[in-house]
Amino acid sequence: MPGTLFLVATPIGNLEDVTARAVRILGAVDLVAAEDTRRTGRLLQHLGITKPLRSYYDAVEQARAPGLVRELLAGKSVALVSDAGTPGIADPGYRLVRAAIAAGIVVVPIPGPSAIAAFLPVSGLPADRFVFEGFLPARRGERRRRLAALAAERRTLVFYESGRRLAGALGDLAEIFGPRPAAIGRELTKLHEEIVRDDLVALAARYEGSAVRGEIVLAVGGAPQAAAPVVAEDLEDEIRRRRAAGETVRDLAEAIASARGVNRRVVYRLALALEHQRR
Ligand code: SAM
């Protein structure tokens, strides 16, 4: 009989959040596949559990999944855990799950903490429909393009972010999305847990130039229902402002089009016409 693959959620900070079922399963499996064996080793030690550990992290997912599937097929039961929260959510797991499913192995969830599930309901933003965008690109140009593509999204948007990059991300969000309601959850369930709710422009000003410590979830309200009617002068002003800030005609056309629900080519042509006037 093949073994079972369990995806076991672990605490995102507070060890009291480990579930009774997670403890039972971790104690019962034959081996534990862990993103960081030292970190998971400490958790197991805290729980009084001793198990063989296999390392399974992003860079080796592709290479290690077949070996784990072979052990499962040989009858061993495996618990997959990540450093924190739910495996597979912005964490390794997907490839192993795919390989296990393809081999006919039963994959069982052992649900528990996840930063997104912990934060969204307390953010004060609608949680009935939302999009989880994971981490934004680290490079500014790419990040701005991603945000421009999301500007017309009506559902609440949720991002994972590092403290180091929070100020940069908020600056771009405020510029591209405007003063929408947003919330920041920092160090959730930990000693220095902090939740800040404000609009994006105020949040960008609050964090500008400062590196924040810790792990962060960022939730942003969706695009407002009725977009304000587009006034040509406003459009021209925004184009001039963005050009003066160094944005390319192509990038600003994309950003404005998404944010205002205007055809990109219309903005592009208008921007080119303004360019010619300047010369
Ligand atoms: N699998 C995890 C989950 O289910 O939430 C997420 C793993 S992802 C690699 C790590 C990111 O999750 C962090 O950079 C941060 O954005 C978010 N995160 C994890 N723990 C957090 C916490 N205690 N408070 C706020 N954000 C957290």
Side-chain angles (χ1 to χ4, degrees):
M1 275 289 283
T4 301
L5 172 62
F6 298 94
L7 264 68
V8 182
T10 58
I12 58 167
N14 190 325
L15 289 176
E16 283 180 3
D17 291 335
V18 70
T19 69
R21 191 166 169 228
V23 176
R24 181 172 61 77
I25 295 294
L26 287 169
V29 290
D30 295 304
L31 57 100
V32 176
E35 191 180 1
D36 178 339
T37 49
R38 269 186 306 179
R39 194 168 163 150
T40 300
R42 281 198 296 273
L43 174 70
L44 293 182
Q45 195 177 20
H46 169 83
L47 300 173
I49 295 169
T50 312
K51 286 287 158 187
L53 288 162
R54 300 274 192 282
S55 126
Y56 185 80
Y57 53 95
D58 268 338
V60 298
E61 266 209 85
Q62 190 102 24
R64 301 263 162 100
L68 286 167
V69 169
R70 272 197 298 278
E71 304 219 51
L72 283 155
L73 287 172
K76 292 201 171 150
S77 54
V78 177
L80 175 67
V81 299
S82 59
D83 283 356
T86 302
I89 305 283
D91 260 346
Y94 171 70
R95 286 182 205 283
L96 178 58
V97 169
R98 293 277 298 184
I101 293 168
I105 285 154
V106 176
V107 183
V108 172
I110 308 296
S114 186
I116 180 174
F119 183 58
L120 185 56
V122 300
S123 68
L125 294 162
D128 50 348
R129 296 177 70 222
F130 64 90
V131 281
F132 174 53
E133 273 292 318
F135 290 95
L136 281 166
R139 299 173 104 166
R140 185 151 193 250
E142 241 179 278
R143 181 169 68 207
R144 290 171 69 88
R145 270 193 290 282
R146 173 80 52 85
L147 292 177
L150 289 168
E153 173 59 61
R154 290 278 171 85
R155 293 167 289 183
T156 300
L157 295 132
V158 188
F159 304 95
Y160 279 173
E161 197 46 277
S162 72
R164 206 164 32 88
R165 289 208 289 259
L166 178 67
L170 283 172
D172 287 341
L173 274 159
E175 200 181 316
I176 295 168
F177 287 13
R180 290 200 205 159
I184 290 166
R186 189 171 73 84
E187 296 287 85
L188 298 168
T189 77
K190 302 184 199 175
L191 189 62
H192 298 292
E193 177 178 277
E194 180 183 46
I195 297 175
V196 182
R197 304 174 185 89
D198 211 325
D199 71 65
L200 280 174
V201 173
L203 288 172
R206 176 182 175 134
Y207 290 99
E208 193 184 358
S210 58
V212 175
R213 276 172 189 275
E215 300 191 287
I216 283 162
V217 188
L218 178 57
V220 178
Q225 285 291 330
V230 180
V231 180
E233 288 75 26
D234 279 1
L235 216 53
E236 292 182 11
D237 284 348
E238 185 170 353
I239 292 169
R240 285 198 191 93
R241 210 163 19 82
R242 283 174 179 268
R243 277 301 278 152
E247 275 191 60
T248 64
V249 169
R250 198 165 141 238
D251 281 355
L252 70 80
E254 198 168 308
I256 295 174
S258 301
R260 294 181 179 242
V262 197
N263 186 305
R264 187 175 56 79
R265 262 175 302 193
V266 172
V267 187
Y268 188 80
R269 275 196 222 110
L270 183 56
L272 284 185
L274 291 174
E275 271 316 274
H276 287 302
Q277 273 177 24
R278 264 198 341 179
R279 285 185 191 140

